[in-house]
Amino acid sequence: MSSPNKFIVSLQTKLLASFFAIVVLVILVTLYFVQTAAFAHSQKLLSNNTKISTTLISEHFKDTANVLFKAASNLSSDFSIKKLILDSQDDVESLNVAMRNFTTRFNASEFAVVAGDGAIITTSPDFLMAPLTDISRLATEDITWYINADSVFLAKAVPVRNTPRSRDVMAWLLFAKPAQQLFNEELSQLTQLDVSLMKDAKTMIASTYEKAVVSEFMLNPMQQLDTIQDMHVPSGHYLYMLTPIGNANGATVSLMLSTVEEEAYLSYRSLVSQLIGLLVVISIAVLLMATLIARNISKPILALIEVTDAIGKGDTVNDFPRSDTKEVNTLAKAVSQMHSGLLQRESEINRLAFFDDLSGLPNRVKFIQYLDEQLVLNETATLSLILVDIERFKEVNDSIGHAAGDTLLALVAQRLTQRYHDDVFIARMGSNEFALLSLKGMMLKALMEDVKQCFQPIFMVNEVALSIDVSMGGTLLEADAKGKYKAADLLLEADIALQACKESHHAYLEYSDALNSFSVERLQTMSELKDIVSSQQLSLYYQPKLCLVTNTIENVECLARWIHPEKGFIPPDEFIPLAEQSGAIKQITMWAIETAIAQHAKWREQGIEVAMAVNISAIDLVHNDFARKVVNILSQYQVAPQKLILEVTESAIMSEPEVALQSLNLLSQIGIVVSIDDFGTGFSSMAQLKKLPVNELKIDKAFVLELATNREDQVMVKTLIDLAQNLGLKTVAEGVEDEQSLALLKSMGCTYAQGYFISRPMPVQEANKWLVNACTTNVSRANA
């Protein structure tokens, strides 16, 4: 993933980019408008030049035609030519010679004398090949053309009459000049265009182009418009204009002026090139100036950036850059003020982050930081670390108020500081916990004993004399072991020693590996509990309950047993509390219910009808989805709700009575039997008991184990049974170990009995045999 700062650029670069963008924009706009105007102007010049050239060439053709026409007109009045025409029947050669002479004199190339009916009297070789009936069209003063085969001639004809007033035409004199002879190099240079004659805009009948170019033109259709047209042929890009200048034998003769596109716009291209060069020079000059301006603007700002970088690194800056620019000075002043504010806030943050407001001592974060530093710096020193916990501190807060508790903590900090000065690093680690770290080689036990003596004098808080006891856990780190430990490791050891000290009620305790073994094992066990169901390490054991009314087995309690692959049997008292802490109890409970119900369905198929009692936790009761999952299991195995007994302890109900009551009501409405387990050991009141939707009370085995010999237990059990009967509840006595106890329970009116005297908990195979045997006899005792 790219960094968010990847495209951040400097101010100088932005200024240069802005100047460059403006210059480029101005250049492009200027170039566009100048180029457009110059191109339009070039097009207009080309069009005007073409039209002028067309007029010039047309006038040249017209002058040539008029010269021929006037010369022929003068000749038609000559008597001698008339006589030669009249004598041509007998002497046509004399007429032919005279016409050749006049053709040369008139600067013509071809001649013909045509009779009034169009018959040819005489003609220059290969000129007229057939009678000419429409010769009169050549007798006008305009440009007239005659096409003979593939040749085109500028031709003029005049009538010859016997007398000037005669209406009858005795003959026609015709003089012609080939179109190709009308073009010359001077005419092309004068117009700076190539000249061509076209027949019906399709056939090029005369041209200043070479034959190859003429062939390319004739392969492309041309438009006869009064505007410049484009034509792309293999030899190049041409511009042309086609203008009609007469007719010949029914075909339109047009004048085409053309040129190569590069030559037509040569001046335009030269102007654009010069303009681009000029603009490039201007751009370079502007960018050089922009670079100088940007550098002058950004120089003080770059200096400010260096200052802010130093501030960002935590350095203290005293010298801030100055500039002759007001805005830069204002910015420098703002940065200076910001730096001062940061220093103040940094000092305050450092105090809040590393020191305790109440006691003024370093806090836990500072202590750990200091300890890590000492582990690196003082490699040869022995470290003694102590955690001190004030006993019954909550009672101080509850008795004389939290303000008094805060005062006590401040007094403790003051006493410790005054006693140890700089010899011991002291910190407040938490609510009522302090830490002491000695670097002076003071022995751990001696230091803990000294701290104990420090707390012997009473503390006066709000005129109340308080005698404070403390628990201490400590650890000693020899110099040769420093490379193996971090601050967290030492704190963990001291904390383990502190917890062990509290549990053993010692004044202080030094850490040893023996204290930590339970904690490590406990953490490992909690980790393994996450996969306990999927790893199939759990199994159910079944302990029958004897109905003292019918002497039959009506239900069994399903007890979870964990057989660890390495550690072997792990008692429920060890792993169930850990499962509740880790949250694994939810999946264990659902596994136990489903396994029990599935076994009930199997026994039902064998004709064994017993209800299944399963223990549930307080965590299960507060789980919103618990009842729905239980119902789904019952439906899956088609088991009636009354065949499931859920046993829950008094303490589980009393932890969150409202939520527990809601869940128990829902389970009871479904038809599931609810039993209060270990009844008599908790703190539930009669009022709470009346509200609970329970069906039976299970008397704790603590009252049953010595029932046969202990008078007090007998009174207690009798009281509990009477209470249950008065509330309409059944009773279960667990822990029945002898026949006398069983007889006493029966006489007291107890409903069910459970214990080793009846049967110990059995795996499913043994339980199956036991129940088959019990169903065949009316039992009061059935040993497994």
Side-chain angles (χ1 to χ4, degrees), residues 11-23 282-299:
L11 174 62
Q12 182 174 333
T13 304
K14 284 190 175 182
L15 289 173
L16 287 175
S18 300
F19 278 119
F20 182 75
I22 292 172
V23 170
I282 293 173
S283 300
I284 294 173
V286 171
L287 286 176
L288 289 175
M289 293 179 63
T291 302
L292 293 176
I293 294 172
R295 185 173 297 171
N296 289 333
I297 293 175
S298 60
K299 186 176 180 180

Side-chain angles (χ1 to χ4, degrees), residues 381-398:
T382 300
L383 301 182
S384 295
L385 172 62
I386 302 174
L387 291 181
V388 181
D389 184 85
I390 300 175
E391 297 288 345
R392 299 183 302 279
F393 181 71
K394 185 176 183 302
E395 294 181 14
V396 176
N397 281 334
D398 294 342

Side-chain angles (χ1 to χ4, degrees), residues 217-289:
F217 268 93
M218 293 180 65
L219 292 175
N220 294 275
M222 288 180 278
Q223 295 180 329
Q224 193 163 294
L225 300 173
D226 193 23
T227 57
I228 301 295
Q229 303 295 317
D230 285 276
M231 178 176 289
H232 293 272
V233 295
S235 60
H237 178 199
Y238 291 86
L239 302 176
Y240 72 91
M241 180 182 286
L242 203 61
T243 305
I245 56 171
N247 296 308
N249 303 19
T252 300
V253 178
S254 301
L255 173 66
M256 186 182 80
L257 299 180
S258 58
T259 184
V260 180
E261 190 262 352
E262 289 83 354
E263 296 180 1
Y265 295 137
L266 184 62
S267 60
Y268 157 74
R269 296 183 188 280
S270 176
L271 175 63
V272 171
S273 299
Q274 294 176 11
L275 177 62
I276 291 174
L278 178 61
L279 292 176
V280 169
V281 172
I282 293 173
S283 300
I284 294 173
V286 171
L287 286 176
L288 289 175
M289 293 179 63

Side-chain angles (χ1 to χ4, degrees), residues 19 97 122-123 130 155 189 236 254 270 280 348 368 419 430 475 488 495 551 572 580 642 661 779:
F19 278 119
V97 171
T122 185
T123 182
Q189 291 178 354
S254 301
S270 176
V280 169
E348 180 65 15
I368 294 173
R419 189 175 186 93
T475 184
D495 188 59
N551 283 338
E580 290 179 333
Q642 294 78 13
L661 180 61
V779 295

Side-chain angles (χ1 to χ4, degrees), residues 549-741:
V549 178
T550 63
N551 283 338
T552 59
I553 302 301
E554 295 185 1
N555 53 69
V556 296
E557 182 175 5
C558 306
L559 302 168
R561 294 291 183 263
W562 184 7
I563 310 300
H564 194 278
E566 296 177 1
K567 302 174 185 178
F569 174 71
I570 299 178
D573 291 344
E574 288 187 16
F575 77 83
I576 292 299
L578 296 180
E580 290 179 333
Q581 292 179 32
S582 64
I585 192 65
K586 291 184 288 187
Q587 57 177 321
I588 292 175
T589 300
M590 296 315 301
W591 167 85
I593 292 175
E594 183 170 5
T595 305
I597 295 302
Q599 187 59 47
H600 171 85
K602 293 179 181 178
W603 281 339
R604 183 181 57 193
E605 292 177 357
Q606 299 176 31
I608 301 172
E609 280 289 347
V610 289
M612 314 298 279
V614 180
N615 292 280
I616 62 174
S617 167
I619 297 175
D620 298 316
L621 287 178
V622 299
H623 195 263
N624 295 331
D625 222 17
F626 178 68
R628 184 186 62 81
K629 289 182 178 180
V630 172
V631 171
N632 289 342
I633 293 173
L634 293 171
S635 300
Q636 179 183 352
Y637 293 97
Q638 297 181 352
V639 174
Q642 294 78 13
K643 294 299 181 179
L644 176 62
I645 302 170
L646 296 181
E647 297 185 1
V648 58
T649 63
E650 279 185 277
S651 57
I653 298 174
M654 291 303 104
S655 62
E656 292 188 56
E658 293 184 2
V659 179
L661 180 61
Q662 184 179 357
S663 297
L664 291 174
N665 279 327
L666 182 58
L667 293 169
S668 179
Q669 291 170 6
I670 296 171
I672 295 171
V673 177
V674 179
S675 175
I676 302 296
D677 197 9
D678 299 337
F679 187 73
T681 61
F683 302 96
S684 57
S685 64
M686 294 302 103
Q688 286 286 356
L689 187 60
K690 287 176 59 179
K691 295 178 182 178
L692 295 176
V694 298
N695 303 93
E696 67 179 27
L697 300 180
K698 194 168 185 180
I699 302 171
D700 188 77
K701 62 182 179 181
F703 305 112
V704 181
L705 288 174
E706 298 179 1
L707 183 63
T709 59
N710 192 313
R711 177 62 183 168
E712 292 178 357
D713 287 345
Q714 294 174 8
V715 172
M716 177 61 74
V717 171
K718 176 59 177 174
T719 302
L720 294 177
I721 293 174
D722 290 342
L723 173 63
Q725 290 176 346
N726 291 332
L727 293 175
L729 305 176
K730 296 179 181 180
T731 51
V732 179
E734 62 176 340
V736 179
E737 301 290 334
D738 53 67
E739 189 173 1
Q740 284 181 296
S741 296

